[in-house]
Amino acid sequence: MPLRPIRDSRKDLLFQKSPASAIHPCNHGLDTLPSETLTHITSYLDPFELYAFARVCSAFNAHVTDDHTWRSAFLLNFFGIDSIEPESDKRTLKSLLLRRTEPTWKKEYVVRYNLRRRWERSRTSTVAHAPVGSKIFKIHVLPTNALLASSLVFGIVARSVPLTGKVVRGNLSPSNLGTGIFLGNPNAEFVHDVTTCDITSDGGTGKIAWGFNSGRVAAMTVAKVMDVTSKSAGKLVNCVVGDQHDGPVSDMIWDDRVGCILSAGRDGLVKLWDAKTLRHIIAWGDPHAGNPCVKLSAALTSGLFAVGMGNGDIVIHRGIRRDEDGLNASVSVGHTVACPFESPPGDASAFPVISAVRIDIQASDDVSLLVTYENHPHFYRVAITGESQEITRFGDSSCGSITAVLPCFAKKPGEASFVFVGDDFGWISVYPWTLHSTSPIKRFEANQGCFGISSLAYNNVTLVAGYKNGVVDAFDASAFQRIRSFSALEFRPGGPPRPISAIVVNSNKDVLIVSAGDQIMAWEAGFVRHGGRGGVRGRHSGGKMRAKTALNTKGYTQLELKNSINESLSLMKHEQEYTRRAHSRARRQNANLDELGLNEAEAIDYLLMLSRDEALEREGQSSHQSEDGIFDLDFDGAPSSSRSSSNSEYSTSQASGTPPERHSALASSLHSSSHFPAIPRSLSTNSSTSAWGGSSWGARSTGTSPNAARSPVANSASSAALSGRQQEEEDLRLAIELSLREV
């Protein structure tokens, strides 16, 4: 079929243009959509895409400038709330987690988006260190990201920089032997009767409250607590002996806004102290009831506090205030809230143990308490209005015991309060606090390994959960999707897993500090570049300053790459040299085995045999040396107390008339035996030597035996016999001379 000419195809409708369309603008673009529809479309864009959309035209720029556009995009991307979704209970529950921290929705969206990208995509590594050398009791992060960590085992507070792992020299100690800061002397700074402590700070000033097993209370204030260049010392103040508790101090709270310290003791009393002078102001409780205080929670700016008792009850006291005359309090009977569930009767040890108490101030007279108990699947809300109270139970017994609870009470008007709860099966539930519903808003499985949750932290951007196996996960605070995970091996490789005891996120929401056992792990969310505008290698970034910055960054990157290549080449060279030497040794060993005609197993057996022979030879030599004392005696008839059985046999044979030839043969046989050392030449003579024996043992010689120094008794006997023989020879020579003269 022949093709139509091009001029005929131009007559088709696809190539025809209407005169009206050439004059009037297009009427089917995005700018013709209603504003609600355009807002719904742009709500799926991230901040970078919204900025790019605003540069298209003035109409789109005006649309993006509207703060309602950013609000819709923020709600959809973080909470899944669509702008066209009608009002419903589901939308209301989703909006409970909404907390605005920035003045505009645009800034709120941009700040949260950047923080989440940094938490999710940052490549910075974690830093771990052990500041105190024992189990950490409590940690406190300063505004400069410095850390104060306390240890009850040693009774000290260590200072460190967690992002670098540097531990500052000198510990803060309540010992009375110094000024509060010690430089590593354990005899002076370690206090082993500390039972509790509380740490707070005011700028760079650290404040620590100590409680002791003896009931003593101490307070320490350290100005410039992280400054190691100056000689600043801690100011330690102890309470008066007559004002201390009658038992161990179980819990303490230092409220710097009011300037007071609360201490709870096992004697059943709660005492209020002035933080500067540690002056005792007032005490609450009955010391004769036998009901100890175990937990404290205070809202001293509102003039009240709550204390958990040993039998599971909670007592609320009011009336604390600070005026021009100073800190004052009124003695009043506290409001007692009985334990919300029954314990087995008749067993005092079966009383429920309070694990946490939190106070929520809703109005001047409306107070709510959150109470949790150990090994219990529920937590309770106690709403107190005047003299009436209402107890509401939350939780699900099918999820196991509650192991971690994190209340997030409203701080501004319009905000909602909610509670994060972690259970023993690794699930996290979010419960509304002020609504009548007791069902969770959200429940998700945080740890798929079914390890219990031991600690929680929340900062409006991320929800951080720590588990009993030492793993830490970071979730998006609105969608609850896992964005980062920290392995337990980063704390101490090869060691047993330790549960996470505390999690702290700094005020800027970009530094995470975790404690587990005696270890501290720190991580900072680094900056992440956006792969957007800039062209290839940043050629089209625009502007002189931007181009110069890109050039400097490029040169620095090339320098780092060159250094990394050189280090890699050096490591490869060392590894190749080591491998070459190892292979050379292996080849030489194989060649030697081939010459001997042995394999590796036979060579090992041969070496073991040689080792056994050498060991036996050494044992024989040592036994020979121990038997040398047998021949260190003189047999010239001198008495000696150290003669052996062989010498006694020799004397017995001589006394019984044994011929001298037999003695000579015996001596020669002993001399030739391999079991005895050779006799020195100075003691050996030929068999023609006369004396009472022709044996070399009785030969006269002026030399000394090499073993003479070992036997002083034998030496003295030999010297006496030698002097006697010399005297006889002199007498004999004198007699011969006289006889010759007479002849």
Side-chain angles (χ1 to χ4, degrees):
M1 178 178 180
L3 299 175
R4 293 183 299 173
I6 298 177
R7 62 177 178 272
D8 295 334
S9 63
R10 291 177 181 174
K11 297 179 182 180
D12 295 342
L13 296 175
L14 295 176
F15 291 93
Q16 292 181 2
K17 294 183 179 180
S18 174
S21 63
I23 298 174
H24 299 286
C26 181
N27 56 0
H28 56 270
L30 290 176
D31 56 347
T32 61
L33 296 176
S35 59
E36 295 81 3
T37 306
L38 187 60
T39 301
H40 175 68
I41 294 174
T42 56
S43 61
Y44 291 90
L45 303 180
D46 60 34
F48 295 99
E49 295 169 346
L50 282 174
Y51 279 120
F53 184 74
R55 289 192 291 266
V56 174
C57 63
S58 59
F60 292 164
N61 187 18
H63 174 75
V64 174
T65 306
D66 187 7
D67 202 41
H68 180 70
T69 302
W70 293 93
R71 178 182 181 274
S72 300
F74 171 75
L75 293 178
L76 182 62
N77 284 273
F78 281 94
F79 295 94
I81 301 176
D82 199 347
S83 58
I84 62 176
E85 181 181 354
E87 294 291 337
S88 61
D89 294 339
K90 183 178 179 181
R91 178 170 180 173
T92 303
L93 293 178
K94 288 181 179 179
S95 62
L96 286 177
L97 303 177
L98 175 59
R99 291 194 173 182
R100 180 174 168 180
T101 58
E102 302 297 335
T104 62
W105 288 106
K106 176 181 178 180
K107 192 172 183 180
E108 184 77 20
Y109 188 24
V110 172
V111 169
R112 286 208 186 190
Y113 180 81
N114 290 333
L115 279 175
R116 188 173 65 177
R117 289 184 70 250
R118 291 171 60 187
W119 275 80
E120 185 177 4
R121 303 184 183 183
S122 177
R123 297 184 178 181
T124 55
S125 59
T126 58
V127 180
H129 69 287
V132 295
S134 63
K135 185 178 180 180
I136 297 173
F137 174 70
K138 186 175 290 187
I139 60 176
H140 178 77
V141 181
L142 299 175
T144 58
N145 292 332
L147 182 69
L148 300 178
S150 63
S151 169
L152 298 184
V153 177
F154 298 140
I156 59 174
V157 172
R159 304 171 293 171
S160 64
V161 183
L163 293 178
T164 61
K166 179 182 178 181
V167 180
V168 179
R169 185 169 178 260
N171 298 319
L172 307 179
S173 173
S175 175
N176 296 321
L177 300 179
T179 57
I181 297 182
F182 295 88
L183 302 179
N185 183 7
N187 296 325
E189 62 184 289
F190 290 170
V191 181
H192 297 285
D193 63 339
V194 175
T195 56
T196 185
C197 74
D198 187 39
I199 308 174
T200 185
S201 62
D202 182 11
T205 302
K207 301 180 180 182
I208 308 168
W210 306 90
F212 299 87
N213 192 32
S214 60
R216 181 168 63 97
V217 176
M220 176 184 293
T221 304
V222 185
K224 299 180 181 179
V225 64
M226 295 301 297
D227 189 5
V228 297
T229 58
S230 62
K231 296 182 179 179
S232 60
K235 180 182 178 182
L236 180 65
V237 181
N238 290 301
C239 68
V240 180
V241 177
D243 295 335
Q244 66 184 19
H245 289 272
D246 293 334
V249 181
S250 57
D251 200 3
M252 297 193 72
I253 293 178
W254 185 322
D255 195 325
D256 193 48
R257 294 171 295 180
V258 182
C260 66
I261 297 174
L262 277 176
S263 63
R266 303 294 295 181
D267 55 354
L269 294 178
V270 177
K271 296 190 176 184
L272 182 66
W273 312 83
D274 187 271
K276 293 183 178 180
T277 61
L278 213 61
R279 176 179 59 89
H280 178 249
I281 300 174
I282 196 173
W284 295 272
D286 185 6
H288 305 290
N291 194 10
C293 302
V294 294
K295 285 292 181 180
L296 271 177
S297 180
L300 298 181
T301 54
S302 300
L304 60 91
F305 69 92
V307 55
M309 309 303 293
N311 60 353
D313 296 345
I314 304 99
V315 183
I316 302 175
H317 294 275
R318 303 172 183 264
I320 302 175
R321 65 185 184 278
R322 176 175 285 277
D323 50 20
E324 297 178 354
D325 298 334
L327 187 65
N328 297 315
S330 61
V331 179
S332 60
V333 179
H335 182 90
T336 302
V337 179
C339 181
F341 63 95
E342 296 181 358
S343 58
D347 187 5
S349 62
F351 284 148
V353 180
I354 298 176
S355 58
V357 179
R358 299 292 186 270
I359 299 178
D360 178 24
I361 304 296
Q362 301 174 359
S364 58
D365 294 333
D366 296 342
V367 179
S368 296
L369 298 180
L370 185 149
V371 186
T372 59
Y373 296 86
E374 294 183 0
N375 301 322
H376 192 62
H378 303 283
F379 71 96
Y380 299 89
R381 180 184 65 194
V382 182
I384 302 174
T385 303
E387 297 297 331
S388 63
Q389 65 181 26
E390 180 184 0
I391 300 178
T392 306
R393 187 180 70 177
F394 297 85
D396 188 359
S397 58
S398 62
C399 296
S401 302
I402 294 177
T403 55
V405 60
L406 177 63
C408 299
F409 299 137
K411 298 180 180 179
K412 298 179 181 179
E415 291 183 350
S417 300
F418 49 89
V419 180
F420 291 100
V421 175
D423 54 48
D424 205 13
F425 292 161
W427 287 73
I428 296 178
S429 304
V430 187
Y431 289 90
W433 180 248
T434 55
L435 300 181
H436 296 287
S437 175
T438 58
S439 301
I441 304 172
K442 179 75 174 180
R443 176 179 292 171
F444 62 97
E445 186 178 5
N447 192 327
Q448 298 179 357
C450 295
F451 289 97
I453 297 173
S454 58
S455 184
L456 292 171
Y458 177 76
N459 63 351
N460 294 337
V461 178
T462 55
L463 172 65
V464 186
Y467 311 115
K468 292 184 178 180
N469 62 341
V471 178
V472 180
D473 286 338
F475 300 89
D476 181 73
S478 53
F480 300 109
Q481 298 177 355
R482 184 180 286 102
I483 59 178
R484 199 173 192 92
S485 181
F486 302 92
S487 174
L489 296 178
E490 296 178 357
F491 291 102
R492 179 173 293 176
R498 288 169 292 180
I500 305 299
S501 58
I503 301 175
V504 178
V505 181
N506 69 337
S507 58
N508 294 329
K509 306 174 184 178
D510 57 353
V511 175
L512 173 67
I513 299 176
V514 178
S515 68
D518 63 339
Q519 295 286 313
I520 294 290
M521 187 202 73
W523 178 80
E524 182 179 13
F527 291 96
V528 179
R529 292 181 175 273
H530 184 263
R533 186 170 178 264
V536 181
R537 298 181 182 177
R539 295 176 182 176
H540 308 293
S541 57
K544 295 183 179 180
M545 295 299 295
R546 190 174 298 178
K548 184 177 180 180
T549 304
L551 182 62
N552 293 338
T553 305
K554 179 181 177 182
Y556 183 72
T557 305
Q558 290 179 352
L559 179 62
E560 286 186 343
L561 180 61
K562 184 177 179 180
N563 294 335
S564 300
I565 292 174
N566 293 334
E567 292 178 0
S568 301
L569 292 176
S570 178
L571 291 175
M572 290 177 61
K573 182 178 179 181
H574 287 296
E575 185 176 357
Q576 290 175 358
E577 183 67 20
Y578 175 78
T579 305
R580 186 185 62 80
R581 290 196 299 266
H583 289 172
S584 178
R585 289 193 300 269
R587 285 194 297 269
R588 289 197 300 268
Q589 182 179 358
N590 293 332
N592 294 334
L593 292 177
D594 292 340
E595 291 179 0
L596 296 174
L598 301 174
N599 56 20
E600 188 173 357
E602 294 174 350
I604 293 175
D605 293 339
Y606 180 69
L607 291 176
L608 292 176
M609 182 184 67
L610 293 179
S611 300
R612 287 194 297 268
D613 294 342
E614 291 179 357
L616 292 174
E617 185 177 356
R618 286 194 297 269
E619 291 178 359
Q621 291 179 358
S622 62
S623 62
H624 296 164
Q625 293 177 0
S626 63
E627 292 176 357
D628 286 345
I630 299 175
F631 309 103
D632 289 341
L633 304 178
D634 198 314
F635 297 96
D636 290 334
S640 176
S641 60
S642 61
R643 295 190 178 185
S644 63
S645 60
S646 61
N647 296 336
S648 61
E649 291 177 359
Y650 180 79
S651 302
T652 305
S653 63
Q654 181 181 3
S656 60
T658 306
E661 291 79 4
R662 187 171 180 179
H663 293 295
S664 178
L666 178 61
S668 61
S669 65
L670 291 173
H671 176 70
S672 61
S673 176
S674 62
H675 296 284
F676 298 93
I679 300 175
R681 184 177 297 274
S682 60
L683 298 179
S684 299
T685 56
N686 52 17
S687 59
S688 61
T689 308
S690 85
W692 50 279
S695 173
S696 60
W697 297 101
R700 297 174 181 174
S701 174
T702 59
T704 61
S705 173
N707 295 327
R710 302 181 188 176
S711 180
V713 178
N715 289 338
S716 59
S718 300
S719 59
L722 183 60
S723 60
R725 287 195 298 271
Q726 290 177 354
Q727 184 66 29
E728 291 177 357
E729 290 177 355
E730 290 292 330
D731 295 340
L732 181 60
R733 184 174 59 80
L734 181 57
I736 293 173
E737 289 179 355
L738 291 175
S739 62
L740 290 176
R741 288 179 182 178
E742 292 177 356
V743 175

